[in-house]
Amino acid sequence: MAMIAGPCAVESKEQLLETAKLVETYGAQILRGGAFKPRTSPYSFQGLEEEGLKLLQLAKLETGMPFVTEVMDTRQVDLVGEYADMLQIGSRNMSNFPLLKEAGISKKPILLKRGMNATIEEFVMAAEYILAQGNHQVVLCERGIRTFETAYRNTLDLNAVPMLKSMSHLPVIVDPSHGTGHRWMVSTMAKAAIAAGADGLIIEMHYQPEEALCDGDQSLFPEDFQKLMEELRVLAPAVGRRVVKGELIK
Ligand code: PEP
Ligand code: MN
């Protein structure tokens, strides 16, 4: 199984490098971190943009980890593609068809997150837009959907894992950070996702979650992440998976 981990957003050199070193030490294979952030309010931190991409490149150099980062607009695909190993298309853009086409043309591996209001059928068809451009390196990510429930940020739809795997040959990963919005729920739902057959996880961890500029409430402390990785090393083999560095999607 693949573990993608890192902060919600790239905030500073110290924050990214410290966090990246920790997730690498505990066994993540791929670093995450947003340089262009889709925020509900235009007055919230929007990301460091190209400066953030440069910091991600530095973190890659220091840790050896490839990274995934979000691209929000067709006009950013070339720029982000110059730096990133994998492009993330976020939930709010799952139905941005011009962006999906550009992502397909880019030939970069794409992490496609499920729209918060998207059906499974719509999600699979969004992936098809990328595949139709000849880019077959697509990973599907369940990140929770909007329901009537308000006790958590989103309702993590783990039914999606077996359903997507039956409908598509693409790898399916789960984001229990955005899927719950609560730090204390993240590890439990991460383990549930692997038990449900997910090929990997994407998890927010911050070296100082209380100071985070974005999604601190759902970001794991380093020790939470370390414990989760230890638990996954026990759990994964029970469902035919392994947590091994250097093996990406297995
Ligand atoms: C994120 O990964 O930080 C993010 C914004 O996710 P989503 O698009 O799923 O809300
Ligand atoms: Mn986030």
Side-chain angles (χ1 to χ4, degrees), residues 8 32 37-38 70 88 90-92 113 143 175 178 204:
C8 178
R32 65 147 289 148
K37 293 304 302 175
E70 180 159 357
Q88 174 172 324
S91 188
R92 290 155 192 80
K113 299 188 87 174
R143 49 77 73 203
D175 175 351
H178 294 87
E204 287 181 345

Side-chain angles (χ1 to χ4, degrees), residues 106-165:
S106 81
K107 302 289 187 290
K108 284 272 174 180
I110 306 295
L111 177 56
L112 179 63
K113 299 188 87 174
R114 181 180 180 182
M116 60 187 79
N117 302 308
T119 65
I120 295 287
E121 181 69 23
E122 288 163 344
F123 188 19
V124 168
M125 290 312 278
E128 200 64 37
Y129 265 87
I130 303 168
L131 301 174
Q133 299 298 324
N135 184 353
H136 299 281
Q137 302 189 82
V138 181
V139 174
L140 302 173
C141 178
E142 164 60 38
R143 49 77 73 203
I145 52 175
R146 281 237 168 118
T147 67
F148 56 82
E149 187 53 74
T150 54
Y152 14 85
R153 184 172 177 182
N154 290 289
T155 297
L156 187 62
D157 177 18
L158 290 184
N159 283 354
V161 177
M163 184 55 79
L164 289 167
K165 291 192 73 76

Side-chain angles (χ1 to χ4, degrees), residues 21-83:
K21 282 179 204 156
L22 287 164
V23 296
E24 198 275 333
T25 301
Y26 298 142
Q29 294 105 334
I30 302 174
L31 177 66
R32 65 147 289 148
F36 294 92
K37 293 304 302 175
R39 303 304 302 277
T40 302
S41 165
Y43 308 113
S44 300
F45 175 60
Q46 303 285 306
L48 296 181
E49 304 185 340
E50 189 167 4
E51 181 56 27
L53 298 174
K54 293 201 165 106
L55 292 175
L56 284 161
Q57 201 173 45
L58 182 64
K60 175 181 176 176
L61 218 70
E62 298 233 337
T63 62
M65 270 190 299
F67 66 87
V68 57
T69 194
E70 180 159 357
V71 55
M72 296 203 301
D73 190 295
T74 51
R75 292 166 294 184
Q76 295 163 357
V77 173
D78 288 344
L79 175 72
V80 179
E82 273 174 38
Y83 291 90

